[in-house]
Amino acid sequence: MNSVGEACTELKREYDTCFNRWFAEKFLKGDRSGDPCTESFRKYQRCVQAAIKEKEIPIDGVDFMGPNKDNDRR
Amino acid sequence: MDYSGRGAAALSASRGSIAAKTVKGFSLSPSFLPSSLSGHAVICRRLPCSDRKTVKMKIWTSEHIFNHPWETVTKAAMQKYPNPMNPSVFGVDVLDRSVDTEGRLHSTRLLSTEWGLPALAKSMFGVTRTCTYVQEHSVVDPKQQTFELQSTNISFTNLVSVDEKLTYKPHPQDPEKTVLTQEALISVKGVSLSNHLEGLMAKTISVNASKGREAMEWVIRRLNTEIEELTATARGTMRSPMAAAVADK
């Protein structure tokens, strides 16, 4: 899968590989030991946030509907 | 908006008992309502609304059972894209991720989609760019075994809001199965949805949901194949030194 920022795809794939392994082998099995992906995530994030700004994608702290939350937004 | 029994029946036909409950009880027909204001006023008492001109309707709910355990389905859902059933999704990015104090994983993701109909988009929305973006927030609770995803469009928000919520949980009677419940909330700005349009939207969502489930089965098969291949490779690499050791003797 690609990143929205074309230049970030390689960094994203590196992070995804790390995350998917940790998620399946540690997190889902209840292993609360540290996240080995923080460094790759940081590098990937720097790239993606820049791409999002550049493309002016309207990310915001969106109020999602929650099970008990008022759906009042916008 | 048709609040007669017909409308309620159409909604409940999509097996959305929640949807039926929200619309049931209104026996107003739009023909004698002045504009949609009264209708909106009545709805706003039952449904949350941001203002009198916007109506949020839960137009579709569904339940589906996967014949796979919750862990398998959750892993697949996390890696749902790319898949051949959703070719328009060209980008998935993680915007934020963290584990909370109760051990739940929160993720915020951006899904980028491109529709191959530039001419249509231009005539409908007056834009040539056809990228639409969806923001998704999800929570995985490995102890409770729940995976909840909520997504909303962040493009064309001046026209429409489509909020979707998905929940994956183990089947209460069979731990080898997983139940997926889905619901979609549509909000159209300043326009009242005709029963027909609502029906169309519900149908589109239903078709897409069906594709989504196919996509999940595809991802699960792919992951299982990868595991099988890894296992075969591991066995193969172990066999060679073992065979060599036996041959040496």
Side-chain angles (χ1 to χ4, degrees):
Chain A
M1 189 80 263
N2 293 335
S3 169
V4 70
E6 295 83 8
C8 312
T9 294
E10 204 40 59
L11 291 169
K12 176 193 134 66
R13 295 220 180 121
E14 238 180 74
Y15 165 69
D16 278 350
T17 308
C18 180
F19 170 78
N20 288 331
R21 193 181 305 134
W22 169 81
F23 185 67
E25 294 169 18
K26 295 263 159 73
F27 181 76
L28 286 181
K29 308 224 184 277
D31 187 334
R32 299 282 304 273
S33 62
D35 179 359
C37 312
T38 39
E39 192 46 45
S40 57
F41 186 58
R42 208 173 298 148
K43 280 192 235 165
Y44 161 54
Q45 274 302 289
R46 270 199 295 260
C47 185
V48 143
Q49 297 289 351
I52 285 167
K53 266 206 190 77
E54 195 221 310
K55 290 178 192 251
E56 294 179 347
I57 299 171
I59 311 285
D60 63 350
V62 181
D63 239 0
F64 290 98
M65 57 177 180
N68 303 309
K69 217 160 96 170
D70 193 334
N71 291 346
D72 212 8
R73 75 174 168 79
R74 287 198 231 266
Chain B
M1 264 301 179
D2 181 3
Y3 303 115
S4 64
R6 206 161 31 100
L11 286 170
S12 61
S14 60
R15 288 187 297 143
S17 57
I18 300 165
K21 272 189 206 124
T22 47
V23 179
K24 220 174 174 176
F26 295 110
S27 52
L28 304 160
S29 153
S31 58
F32 54 76
L33 284 176
S35 75
S36 313
L37 283 179
S38 307
H40 286 214
V42 174
I43 291 172
C44 285
R45 258 182 253 138
R46 295 288 188 97
L47 292 172
C49 302
S50 53
D51 59 59
R52 289 288 150 124
K53 294 201 195 85
T54 305
V55 176
K56 209 164 267 194
M57 282 299 300
K58 192 173 288 182
I59 70 163
W60 183 86
T61 68
S62 144
E63 203 178 82
H64 177 79
I65 296 174
F66 288 98
N67 292 324
H68 307 280
W70 179 82
E71 254 190 56
T72 304
V73 173
T74 298
K75 274 186 272 184
M78 249 335 161
Q79 303 180 54
K80 191 172 170 183
Y81 304 103
N83 70 72
M85 291 81 187
N86 299 107
S88 54
V89 178
F90 70 85
V92 177
D93 284 289
V94 180
L95 303 181
D96 192 35
R97 195 165 253 157
S98 59
V99 179
D100 68 17
T101 49
E102 298 178 40
R104 296 178 302 203
L105 179 75
H106 294 252
S107 310
T108 305
R109 298 200 299 183
L110 173 72
L111 273 60
S112 310
T113 61
E114 169 99 56
W115 305 97
L117 296 166
L120 180 63
K122 185 163 190 203
S123 64
M124 279 178 76
F125 304 115
V127 293
T128 45
R129 282 181 55 234
T130 53
C131 291
T132 58
Y133 299 103
V134 169
Q135 193 163 327
E136 170 207 273
H137 181 252
S138 64
V139 185
V140 185
D141 188 332
K143 289 195 285 264
Q144 299 295 318
Q145 293 202 308
T146 58
F147 185 18
E148 236 182 59
L149 301 96
Q150 295 165 349
S151 69
T152 189
N153 60 304
I154 55 174
S155 306
F156 302 120
T157 53
N158 54 322
L159 296 170
V160 69
S161 276
V162 182
D163 291 351
E164 250 206 312
K165 182 171 161 189
L166 284 79
T167 307
Y168 295 94
K169 285 186 178 153
H171 191 285
Q173 276 91 44
D174 186 353
E176 292 303 302
K177 295 192 163 127
T178 302
V179 181
L180 163 64
T181 44
Q182 264 178 284
E183 57 191 45
L185 262 178
I186 303 256
S187 166
V188 180
K189 304 287 187 274
V191 173
S192 100
L193 285 180
S194 70
N195 194 42
H196 174 69
L197 188 55
E198 221 176 85
L200 269 182
M201 283 181 171
K203 185 154 189 236
T204 306
I205 290 170
S206 175
V207 166
N208 287 343
S210 181
K211 275 199 211 142
R213 294 189 293 257
E214 260 184 77
M216 284 293 294
E217 295 287 353
W218 183 88
V219 177
I220 289 168
R221 275 197 304 273
R222 183 176 64 86
L223 291 177
N224 285 340
T225 308
E226 279 172 15
I227 293 169
E228 279 164 26
E229 281 171 0
L230 271 173
T231 314
T233 311
R235 269 199 223 113
T237 38
M238 273 177 7
R239 210 173 284 136
S240 316
M242 277 169 69
V246 170
D248 273 355
K249 287 204 182 121

